[in-house]
C-alpha cells in the first residue's frame, strides 16, 4: 500500500475534499480483459466464483461500475452502432432537467404523429414534462419524446442539438444523435461504452432514477384530468434482484438494445448490450458474474495525532467517523493509495468528535472513498497563571492590612 500524509500550514483551518455523491461508497474495480477472468478467492474460502464469459452474442457489450467508470467486461465497446430507444435515456434526462417539469401544457399535434412505440397521446392532450419522461422510460413512447423535444426546444431538430451538446459535456466523442426517440438515422449512433456512461450519468438525477426504477407507473394527464397506469417494458425490474433501471430499445436496424442497472451492497453496475440475442438472460448472466467478483473490503487507516497548541495535552488522536469500506476485486486492496488532509496544528480547546480533516482513498488515480476524520477525545486549554508585579503585591498587602 502507499500512504501519503498531506499537512497544510493552517492555524486550525482544514482543507476539505468535496464529498462524492452516491458513488462515493461504490466499488472501484479493475477492468477485465476480453479473454475472461475467474475472480480470485479471498480468505480461507475455496469456492470458485462465477466467471465473466469470454464473449457474448451481441455486436457490443460492456459491464461498468457506475461510480468510477471501470469496465469489468468489454466487447467491441468502441464500435459505432445504432441504439434504438435507449436514445431516450438522454432525451428523458434533458426533459427532467428542464424548467417547470410539473406544469401541464397541450402537446404539439404534429410532434405526436410518429411511428413506433407510443404513449398514446392524442391531439389536445395535456401533460407535464415529468409525465412525458415517465412515458419515455416506461413504455418508450416516441410521441412522448417528440412532444417533450418540441416543448423544450421549439423543434425536434433544435432539441437534438441540445442532446449532442450534452453528450459533448459528458466527454463523449463517439456518440451522435439525430432523433429524440431513437428512430434510425444515418448519423444516429453511439458505443456500448459511451451508452453506459450516459446511463450512469442519468441515474445521478433523482427524478430519472425514481422513474426508470418503477416496474409500473401512474401518469397524470389533463383536459380532462385522469390517471393511467403503465407497465415498464424493462423485465429485469421484475426478474432480477437489485435491478434499478434503465431502458430498452429495438428497431430492425439496431436489433435488441438494452441498458440495465442493478445495485447490491452499495455497488451499482451498468450493463449495456447492442444488437444482442436473448438480452434479458444475457444481462442476468453478466451482472451475476460481475457482482460475484466484488468483495467488501475494509480500507486501511493509520494512527495519527494532530498537535494541539495551548492544550493540557500536546496532541489529539484522530480517526474516521465511520469505518471506511469499498467493494473491490481480490488483490485490489494492495493498490489503494491513501492520503490524509489535516491542519498542521489545532488550538485548544478541541471538542471530542470535532471534524478536523479527511482521509481519501484512490485506486488507479480515481477517488473511491472519502471519510471525515474526527478528534477521538477532547483537549482542554491549559490553566492560565497571571504573574503579579511587585507593586501589585505591595498594594494587595496594604489592602489586606487595613481591611
Amino acid at each position: 500500500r502507499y500512504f501519503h500524509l498531506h499537512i497544510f500550514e493552517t492555524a486550525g483551518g482544514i482543507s476539505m475534499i468535496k464529498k462524492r455523491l452516491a458513488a462515493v461508497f461504490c466499488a472501484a474495480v479493475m477492468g477485465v480483459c476480453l479473454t475472461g477472468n475467474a475472480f480470485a478467492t479471498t480468505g480461507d474460502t475455496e469456492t470458485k466464483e462465477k466467471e465473466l464469459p469470454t464473449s457474448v452474442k451481441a455486436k457490443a457489450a460492456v459491464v461498468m461500475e457506475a461510480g468510477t467508470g471501470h469496465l469489468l467486461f468489454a466487447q467491441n465497446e468502441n464500435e459505432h452502432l445504432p441504439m434504438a430507444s435507449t436514445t431516450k435515456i438522454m432525451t428523458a434526462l434533458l426533459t427532467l432537467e428542464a424548467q417547470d417539469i410539473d406544469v401541464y401544457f397541450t402537446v404539439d399535434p404534429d410532434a405526436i404523429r410518429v411511428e413506433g412505440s407510443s404513449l398514446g397521446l392524442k391531439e389536445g392532450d395535456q401533460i407535464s414534462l415529468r409525465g412525458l419522461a415517465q412515458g419515455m422510460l416506461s413504455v418508450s413512447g416516441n410521441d412522448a419524446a417528440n412532444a417533450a423535444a418540441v416543448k423544450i426546444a421549439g423543434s425536434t431538430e433544435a432539441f437534438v442539438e441540445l442532446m449532442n451538446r450534452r453528450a459533448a459535456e459528458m466527454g463523449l466523442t463517439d456518440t451522435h444523435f439525430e432523433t429524440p426517440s431513437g428512430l434510425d438515422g444515418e448519423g444516429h449512433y453511439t458505443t456500448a461504452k459511451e451508452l453506459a456512461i450516459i446511463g450512469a450519468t442519468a441515474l445521478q438525477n433523482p427524478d430519472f432514477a425514481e422513474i426508470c426504477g418503477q416496474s409500473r407507473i401512474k401518469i397524470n394527464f389533463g383536459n380532462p384530468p385522469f390517471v393511467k397506469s403503465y407497465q415498464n417494458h424493462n423485465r429485469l425490474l421484475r426478474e432480477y434482484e437489485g435491478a434499478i433501471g434503465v431502458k430498452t430499445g429495438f428497431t430492425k436496424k439496431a436489433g435488441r438494445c438494452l441498458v440495465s442497472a442493478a445495485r447490491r451492497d452499495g455497488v451499482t453496475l451498468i450493463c449495456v448490450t447492442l444488437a444482442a440475442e436473448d438480452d434479458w438472460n444475457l444481462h442476468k448472466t453478466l451482472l451475476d458474474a460481475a457482482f460475484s467478483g466484488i468483495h467488501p473490503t475494509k480500507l486501511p487507516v493509520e494512527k495519527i495525532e494532530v498537535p494541539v497548541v495551548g492544550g493540557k495535552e500536546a496532541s489529539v488522536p484522530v480517526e474516521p467517523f465511520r469505518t471506511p469500506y469499498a467493494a473491490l476485486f481480490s488483490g485490489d486492496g494492495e493498490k489503494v493509495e491513501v492520503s490524509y488532509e489535516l491542519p498542521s496544528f489545532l488550538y485548544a480547546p478541541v471538542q471530542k468528535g470535532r471534524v478536523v480533516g479527511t482521509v481519501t482513498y484512490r485506486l488507479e488515480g480515481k477517488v473511491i472513498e472519502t471519510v471525515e476524520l474526527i478528534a477521538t477525545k477532547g483537549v482542554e486549554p491549559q490553566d492560565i497563571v497571571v504573574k503579579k508585579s511587585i507593586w501589585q503585591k505591595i498594594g494587595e498587602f496594604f489592602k489586606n492590612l487595613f481591611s
Side-chain angles (χ1 to χ4, degrees):
R1 295 185 180 89
Y2 303 92
F3 298 92
H4 305 284
L5 179 61
H6 300 289
I7 302 297
F8 293 87
E9 295 298 330
T10 59
I14 304 170
S15 176
M16 302 295 288
I17 294 178
K18 185 177 181 181
K19 292 184 177 66
R20 292 268 170 162
L21 300 173
V24 80
F25 200 61
C26 288
V29 291
M30 295 288 289
V32 178
C33 64
L34 296 180
T35 56
N37 182 36
F39 301 119
T41 58
T42 58
D44 298 326
T45 62
E46 297 295 336
T47 303
K48 185 178 180 180
E49 294 159 348
K50 296 180 181 179
E51 297 182 8
L52 282 163
T54 57
S55 64
V56 297
K57 292 183 178 181
K59 285 188 177 180
V62 300
V63 180
M64 186 184 82
E65 195 282 309
T68 63
H70 279 283
L71 295 183
L72 285 67
F73 175 86
Q75 175 177 304
N76 300 330
E77 69 274 19
N78 296 316
E79 182 178 351
H80 289 191
L81 292 168
M83 60 289 204
S85 284
T86 60
T87 297
K88 295 187 181 79
I89 298 173
M90 178 67 85
T91 306
L93 176 61
L94 292 179
T95 298
L96 292 168
E97 290 177 342
Q99 298 294 319
D100 302 322
I101 64 172
D102 292 307
V103 175
Y104 285 86
F105 65 94
T106 302
V107 297
D108 181 272
D110 294 325
I112 61 176
R113 295 190 184 100
V114 60
E115 62 179 309
S117 54
S118 173
L119 181 60
L121 293 171
K122 299 180 178 61
E123 186 172 347
D125 276 349
Q126 290 189 346
I127 194 171
S128 65
L129 289 175
R130 184 187 298 275
L132 293 176
Q134 292 171 328
M136 292 181 231
L137 296 175
S138 59
V139 295
S140 197
N142 291 341
D143 51 353
N146 280 7
V150 172
K151 173 62 177 177
I152 293 170
S155 68
T156 56
E157 293 79 11
F159 187 82
V160 166
E161 291 181 11
L162 297 179
M163 297 172 72
N164 287 317
R165 187 183 307 165
R166 185 57 188 279
E169 291 173 356
M170 292 181 185
L172 309 183
T173 58
D174 293 301
T175 296
H176 188 264
F177 298 103
E178 285 191 350
T179 67
S181 61
L183 292 176
D184 296 327
E186 290 300 320
H188 192 83
Y189 60 83
T190 188
T191 68
K193 179 180 178 180
E194 293 199 347
L195 190 52
I197 294 172
I198 294 171
T201 302
L203 284 172
Q204 295 176 12
N205 181 293
D207 291 321
F208 184 100
E210 179 185 7
I211 293 170
C212 77
Q214 296 183 52
S215 178
R216 179 169 288 276
I217 197 164
K218 292 180 178 180
I219 301 179
N220 295 310
F221 294 82
N223 192 33
F226 68 96
V227 179
K228 191 172 181 180
S229 178
Y230 297 85
Q231 180 168 281
N232 197 310
H233 288 176
N234 185 358
R235 283 171 38 187
L236 294 180
L237 294 172
R238 299 178 289 279
E239 298 178 1
Y240 189 77
E241 178 189 354
I244 59 173
V246 175
K247 187 71 188 72
T248 61
F250 173 79
T251 65
K252 288 183 179 180
K253 178 181 179 180
R256 295 186 62 84
C257 302
L258 180 59
V259 179
S260 68
R263 182 179 297 124
R264 293 182 184 176
D265 299 324
V267 179
T268 299
L269 299 181
I270 308 291
C271 183
V272 175
T273 54
L274 297 174
E277 297 181 18
D278 191 18
D279 51 2
W280 302 117
N281 288 322
L282 176 55
H283 278 239
K284 294 175 185 178
T285 298
L286 289 171
L287 289 170
D288 278 344
F291 275 122
S292 75
I294 298 175
H295 307 281
T297 303
K298 184 177 179 180
L299 298 171
V301 179
E302 291 283 87
K303 291 184 178 180
I304 295 177
E305 296 198 3
V306 178
V308 177
V309 176
K312 289 185 176 180
E313 297 184 45
S315 63
V316 60
V318 299
E319 66 180 21
F321 85 97
R322 59 175 169 79
T323 302
Y325 275 91
L328 305 174
F329 278 121
S330 301
D332 278 356
E334 296 300 321
K335 303 172 186 176
V336 172
E337 295 187 8
V338 188
S339 62
Y340 296 82
E341 292 198 9
L342 290 162
S344 55
F345 59 88
L346 298 169
Y347 284 113
V350 177
Q351 294 76 30
K352 181 180 179 180
R354 171 182 167 183
V355 176
V356 297
T358 58
V359 55
T360 299
Y361 301 87
R362 292 178 174 86
L363 180 63
E364 296 182 341
K366 295 185 177 181
V367 175
I368 60 173
E369 175 71 299
T370 299
V371 183
E372 292 177 326
L373 296 168
I374 61 172
T376 60
K377 67 178 184 178
V379 177
E380 297 294 326
Q382 292 178 336
D383 295 329
I384 299 176
V385 178
V386 179
K387 293 183 178 181
K388 298 179 181 179
S389 67
I390 185 63
W391 299 109
Q392 287 176 314
K393 292 179 180 180
I394 293 174
E396 289 181 359
F397 172 79
F398 284 105
K399 182 178 178 181
N400 294 330
L401 183 63
F402 295 105
S403 62

